[in-house]
Amino acid sequence: MEMPVFPETVAQQLKQFAQQCMDDSSLLHDPKLFFIKELIEHYGGKIPEPKANDSSAKSESKSAFEPEAEPEVEPEYQAESESEEEESDVELDMTGVIEPDQDPPQKMGNLTLQPTEEEIAESQAKRSEAVSAFVEKDYEKAIQLYTEAIVLNPQAALLYAKRGQIFLLLNKPNACIRDCDRALELNPDSAAAHKFRGRACHLLGKFEEAANDLRLACKFDFDEQADEWLRETTPNARKLEEHKRKMERKRQEKVERERQERLRKAREAAKAREENTRTSQTDADNASPGTGDFYQFLKDPDVLQAFQDAEVAEAFKDISANPMNVLKYQNNPKIMALINKMASKFGGAAGMPGGMPGFPGAGMGHPNPPKPTPKDDVGLD
């Protein structure tokens, strides 16, 4: 067996790999290199056992045989989306935005319960106490009293809005939004609920939602504080609205480009099919001259009627199997009439003057050709 000859590059890689194995024997314990380990042990060599910390080193090391990973080519659409994200960055004024609160949801009233007159009266008393606690800035007590009032009269939208206001003062915008959502569920026109929810959305950086709520609050019951909050959140809301319009415009343009591309490909495919059809038709016309005329001939009414005759059909089948069998029908006027009609239609075709392609043409011009001379009868039965 001849010694294999390695190219210089491969030899250099082998040399580098051998040096790597001498520097770090754990490489030889890689299952992908088992054949090298077997080779060394076959000739009496011994590979050191891997150390405890060799596994990480082995995973970080690369064999000289392992090709370097090719840089991943990002799909075109991904690159486009990333560029759109870069272009779509909106500089917003985040002054006043805070981290969202993560407290468990507060206690809500049971909306299926209809309070009695006594419960409604007691709820109003709790509300009065809550207002006093609020004035004294004892917010935790105010929340407790509003909660008790809500349990007694869960149908009162204003109680939820007022408790939401206190959560807002305590920098708990999520709790405020939950209360205002319930208040607006009970009374969609609650200016107070829109006002406090709008401010809570602003604190969470939800500027578009904030602007919508504060506009409604000013619409239902104009309030200077609500108007001030609206003016504060409007610049960011407008930037985001403009950004959304821009992104929607880009999306529509992309959809239109894709549609135009599909139309272009469809037109090209249709054009290619048309050219292929035209080429195939031309090839068919050039491939076998006269073939089309022959099939047109078979559609002739007289020919079709002739083939209705079982004798003619059987004779034509016999002649098609062996053109020389035409001689058997020389004295049959009915069959020879059809053959002579074919001969006149396709005279000289396929290099056979006076006959059909595949049929002997000599002597077919007349239903009763002259009998052959004795010289010509040689070999005929």
Side-chain angles (χ1 to χ4, degrees):
M1 180 178 180
E2 296 182 358
M3 180 69 69
V5 178
F6 297 107
E8 184 177 352
T9 55
V10 176
Q12 184 64 26
Q13 288 179 341
L14 288 170
K15 183 178 178 181
Q16 292 176 357
F17 175 67
Q19 185 61 47
Q20 285 182 353
C21 290
M22 287 187 286
D23 294 339
D24 182 6
S25 61
S26 64
L27 291 173
L28 296 173
H29 291 281
D30 191 326
K32 292 184 292 185
L33 303 176
F34 74 95
F35 55 93
I36 297 179
K37 180 181 178 182
E38 288 182 351
L39 175 65
I40 295 173
E41 293 176 346
H42 175 75
Y43 288 105
K46 185 177 180 181
I47 299 174
E49 292 297 326
K51 299 178 182 179
N53 59 352
D54 280 349
S55 57
S56 60
K58 181 173 64 175
S59 61
E60 293 175 0
S61 301
K62 286 187 177 180
S63 169
F65 290 104
E66 295 182 4
E68 294 184 0
E70 296 183 0
E72 295 184 1
V73 180
E74 297 293 335
E76 183 177 350
Y77 71 86
Q78 185 173 349
E80 183 177 352
S81 64
E82 289 178 355
S83 64
E84 287 182 357
E85 288 180 2
E86 292 176 0
E87 293 175 0
S88 65
D89 287 340
V90 181
E91 294 184 3
L92 301 174
D93 181 5
M94 305 301 287
T95 304
V97 175
I98 62 175
E99 291 294 325
D101 51 301
Q102 304 295 336
D103 294 349
Q106 60 272 26
K107 189 173 182 179
M108 297 286 186
N110 187 349
L111 295 182
T112 62
L113 297 179
Q114 292 297 327
T116 63
E117 293 183 2
E118 293 79 6
E119 288 173 331
I120 293 175
E122 188 177 352
S123 175
Q124 291 176 347
K126 293 289 184 182
R127 174 190 170 188
S128 299
E129 293 179 33
V131 171
S132 300
F134 176 78
V135 172
E136 295 172 2
K137 296 186 179 180
D138 190 349
Y139 298 137
E140 295 297 335
K141 183 178 179 181
I143 289 176
Q144 180 182 351
L145 290 168
Y146 272 122
T147 302
E148 293 175 4
I150 286 171
V151 172
L152 291 167
N153 185 11
Q155 306 293 336
L158 188 59
L159 294 177
Y160 296 99
K162 285 298 186 178
R163 190 174 67 173
Q165 178 186 14
I166 300 174
F167 281 127
L168 185 64
L169 292 172
L170 295 174
N171 284 333
K172 294 183 178 182
N174 281 328
C176 174
I177 290 173
R178 287 192 292 266
D179 268 343
C180 291
D181 286 344
R182 173 58 64 87
L184 291 170
E185 181 182 349
L186 295 167
N187 179 16
D189 296 339
S190 172
H194 281 297
K195 173 184 174 180
F196 300 135
R197 189 174 70 174
R199 185 57 179 177
C201 287
H202 179 92
L203 295 180
L204 292 173
K206 300 177 180 179
F207 301 111
E208 288 182 281
E209 294 90 334
N212 290 334
D213 267 328
L214 292 169
R215 289 190 193 109
L216 289 172
C218 292
K219 175 183 177 182
F220 294 138
D221 186 8
F222 183 81
D223 179 278
E224 290 185 0
Q225 187 178 45
D227 182 61
E228 181 183 348
W229 286 347
L230 176 60
R231 283 187 276 106
E232 184 179 344
T233 200
T234 295
N236 283 341
R238 285 180 176 171
K239 287 181 181 179
L240 291 170
E241 290 167 357
E242 177 59 31
H243 163 66
K244 282 189 175 181
R245 285 193 292 269
K246 177 181 177 182
M247 297 306 295
E248 178 61 20
R249 185 169 59 252
K250 285 189 174 184
R251 190 187 69 82
Q252 292 291 347
E253 290 173 355
K254 182 180 178 181
V255 169
E256 179 61 21
R257 286 196 304 270
E258 291 174 350
R259 189 183 72 84
Q260 293 294 338
E261 181 65 15
R262 288 195 298 271
L263 289 175
R264 183 186 66 79
K265 290 182 179 179
R267 286 194 293 266
E268 290 178 354
K271 184 178 179 181
R273 287 195 298 270
E274 183 180 353
E275 291 177 353
N276 290 337
T277 302
R278 189 183 301 115
T279 302
S280 299
Q281 183 63 38
T282 303
D283 292 344
D285 293 343
N286 296 334
S288 52
T291 304
D293 293 340
F294 176 69
Y295 285 106
Q296 289 296 324
F297 169 78
L298 292 180
K299 296 180 180 179
D300 186 288
D302 295 337
V303 175
L304 289 175
Q305 183 177 2
F307 276 107
Q308 296 297 320
D309 190 317
E311 182 183 1
V312 173
E314 186 64 29
F316 191 84
K317 180 179 179 181
D318 185 29
I319 295 170
S320 299
N322 183 3
M324 292 303 299
N325 291 339
V326 70
L327 299 176
K328 296 192 297 183
Y329 304 98
Q330 291 183 95
N331 295 324
N332 190 324
K334 182 168 53 175
I335 296 173
M336 291 307 300
L338 178 61
I339 293 176
N340 285 329
K341 185 172 184 178
M342 291 184 179
S344 63
K345 178 69 175 177
F346 299 97
M352 301 181 67
M356 279 288 293
F359 293 131
M364 292 179 60
H366 193 277
N368 296 309
K371 295 182 179 180
T373 62
K375 183 178 180 179
D376 294 329
D377 287 341
V378 177
L380 294 179
D381 192 3

